[in-house]
């Protein structure tokens, strides 16, 4: 259950590791402040996916 609900220190550690991975991949130094000002990319992707799934024709309810 702990893996499903990480503690605040675990979340902070994951965030730091993710940011470091992004810095290595793109090869550009991005400060934590710049990350904090960036848009919520993952949240936007989830929203787009949810909108598409909701609007997909096969997901429409059939009328009896």
């Amino acid at each position: 259950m702990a893996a499903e609900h990480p503690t605040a220190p675990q979340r902070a550690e994951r965030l730091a590791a993710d940011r470091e991975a992004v810095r290595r991949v793109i090869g550009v130094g991005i400060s934590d402040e710049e990350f904090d000002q960036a848009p919520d990319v993952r949240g936007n992707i989830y929203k787009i996916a949810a909108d598409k799934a909701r609007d997909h024709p096969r997901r429409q309810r059939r009328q009896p």
Side-chain angles (χ1 to χ4, degrees):
M1 176 153 316
E4 295 176 24
H5 302 285
T7 64
Q10 288 171 324
R11 289 191 306 270
E13 184 177 329
R14 288 180 186 173
L15 178 62
D18 289 346
R19 288 179 174 187
E20 187 56 36
V22 168
R23 290 177 179 119
R24 279 194 314 270
V25 168
I26 65 172
V28 177
I30 299 176
S31 70
D32 285 342
E33 292 78 21
E34 290 169 317
F35 271 110
D36 292 339
Q37 293 173 4
D40 180 8
V41 175
R42 184 175 56 183
N44 289 337
I45 290 170
Y46 286 145
K47 181 184 178 306
I48 291 166
D51 291 345
K52 286 182 178 275
R54 187 175 38 254
D55 295 339
H56 193 278
R58 293 191 323 182
R59 301 281 301 171
Q60 300 294 323
R61 293 182 182 215
R62 295 183 184 161
Q63 297 296 325

